[in-house]
Amino acid sequence: MNKPAKIISILILSASVMAGCGNQGTTDSSPKEKVPATPEAVEASQVSVLHSLDEIKWNEVKDPLIEDGMITKLKAAIAAFVSKDLDQFHAALASDIGTGHDYLLDQPVKFTGIEKAVKENGRILIPVVGERLTKEEGYSPDIRYTFYFDKDKDGAWQIVSID
């Protein structure tokens, strides 16, 4: 390499080193740095998403056929739908229901309200409406599940079926 080329190379190298050392004295972190999410932050985010899938205004349910015990069972069932928790879902249903309704948890739904309850042969039918979150051709985005309540031998309301 000839002498002028060496000098130019040294000058370029020196300028690069000097430019790299210029910010060495600053200690504040770059705003573009990403801080890894803590497990608590991830859990809080998931809880927020799950709550957004249950938009039912529970405190506004004022139907003379719907009792507090029914609301408690219905809230638990809806929470299980939203979180896709089979154990919680089974706990919300009558003990003799089994796993026949488990397939309902496969479809993501945003629950938006409760319609007027109906009394039928001693049972109370509570329609819960929502929005189907999967966009399948030929299916309406609106969805409706009817929860059938019947009293057990102790007189407590139980979810005995979902249609």
Side-chain angles (χ1 to χ4, degrees):
M1 189 184 278
N2 62 18
K3 192 171 185 173
K6 284 183 184 179
I7 293 174
I8 292 174
S9 296
I10 291 173
L11 287 174
I12 292 173
L13 181 62
S14 297
S16 298
V17 170
M18 296 286 273
C21 294
N23 285 336
Q24 211 167 333
T26 61
T27 58
D28 46 310
S29 62
S30 168
K32 293 182 183 177
E33 282 185 31
K34 293 193 177 186
V35 177
T38 64
E40 294 83 13
V42 170
E43 185 177 316
S45 171
Q46 290 172 341
V47 166
S48 174
V49 168
L50 295 180
H51 283 300
S52 70
L53 296 178
D54 177 4
E55 294 182 354
I56 297 172
K57 292 179 175 65
W58 293 103
N59 57 345
E60 294 179 12
V61 176
K62 306 282 189 241
D63 190 315
L65 292 177
I66 302 175
E67 296 178 11
D68 290 340
M70 294 173 173
I71 291 290
T72 301
K73 292 282 185 176
L74 203 51
K75 278 183 179 181
I78 296 299
F81 262 94
V82 167
S83 65
K84 300 192 179 307
D85 185 331
L86 273 175
D87 292 333
Q88 182 181 356
F89 185 61
H90 292 157
L93 303 178
S95 59
D96 61 345
I97 293 294
T99 59
H101 295 89
D102 290 359
Y103 73 95
L104 295 172
L105 299 185
D106 293 338
Q107 189 163 124
V109 174
K110 176 171 56 172
F111 293 96
T112 56
I114 295 178
E115 293 185 347
K116 185 170 174 37
V118 176
K119 189 170 187 173
E120 178 183 277
N121 299 326
R123 297 188 299 184
I124 304 295
L125 285 58
I126 303 176
V128 178
V129 295
E131 177 183 326
R132 186 185 319 261
L133 297 178
T134 54
K135 308 289 187 231
E136 297 178 36
E137 191 172 324
Y139 288 99
S140 167
D142 298 327
I143 198 158
R144 174 184 167 134
Y145 291 114
T146 301
F147 289 79
Y148 291 73
F149 283 84
D150 202 356
K151 287 190 176 181
D152 63 12
K153 65 181 187 269
D154 298 325
W157 287 105
Q158 300 292 324
I159 298 172
V160 296
S161 186
I162 304 170
D163 189 21

